[in-house]
Amino acid sequence: MEHYMSGTPILADGKSDGEDGDDDEFYADADAETVEIIKDLIETRVRPAVANDGGDITFRGFKDGIVYLNMRGACAGCPSSTATLQHGIQNLLKHFVPEVVEVRPVT
């Protein structure tokens, strides 16, 4: 209650815990077109399905054929999240983007 009474903002930077800004993304400029395709697939096919289970997955980076994803919500602690990454998301991305060789979670 003291915090609410102090008048300071509830969230100092406007983001909830564990939510990173887009400036934390990493990839080579030469991979920008590939990254846009990956982001589009994640936004249109992966995130809606994961959101149904109470989780969220966002793109963090792409380097040497490896896609790095940030798993939040129910996905972060879910024991089947590794299977989801390996069999679901990785296979989907490999199918549509031949440059992708692996998908890894980032904390």
Side-chain angles (χ1 to χ4, degrees):
M1 287 306 287
E2 289 178 28
H3 177 75
Y4 293 111
M5 299 301 290
S6 70
T8 57
I10 294 172
L11 300 173
D13 61 359
K15 300 177 185 174
S16 61
D17 290 341
E19 185 176 339
D20 298 319
D22 286 340
D23 43 343
D24 288 323
E25 291 180 357
F26 58 91
Y27 57 90
D29 290 338
D31 294 328
E33 188 175 322
T34 302
V35 167
E36 285 305 312
I37 295 169
I38 292 169
K39 284 180 169 183
D40 184 56
L41 288 168
I42 290 169
E43 288 295 320
T44 59
R45 296 180 181 233
V46 177
R47 286 186 81 192
V50 171
N52 286 337
D53 292 330
D56 192 19
I57 294 180
T58 54
F59 175 84
R60 282 294 137 232
F62 180 72
K63 183 178 180 183
D64 299 326
I66 301 171
V67 178
Y68 296 89
L69 301 175
N70 184 13
M71 303 177 72
R72 296 190 302 237
C75 286
C78 177
S80 65
S81 64
T82 303
T84 300
L85 274 178
Q86 296 301 316
H87 301 293
I89 300 168
Q90 182 172 291
N91 289 342
L92 173 81
L93 293 179
K94 279 182 166 182
H95 177 76
F96 287 102
V97 186
E99 294 86 358
V100 173
V101 294
E102 186 180 353
V103 176
R104 294 184 186 168
V106 184
T107 54

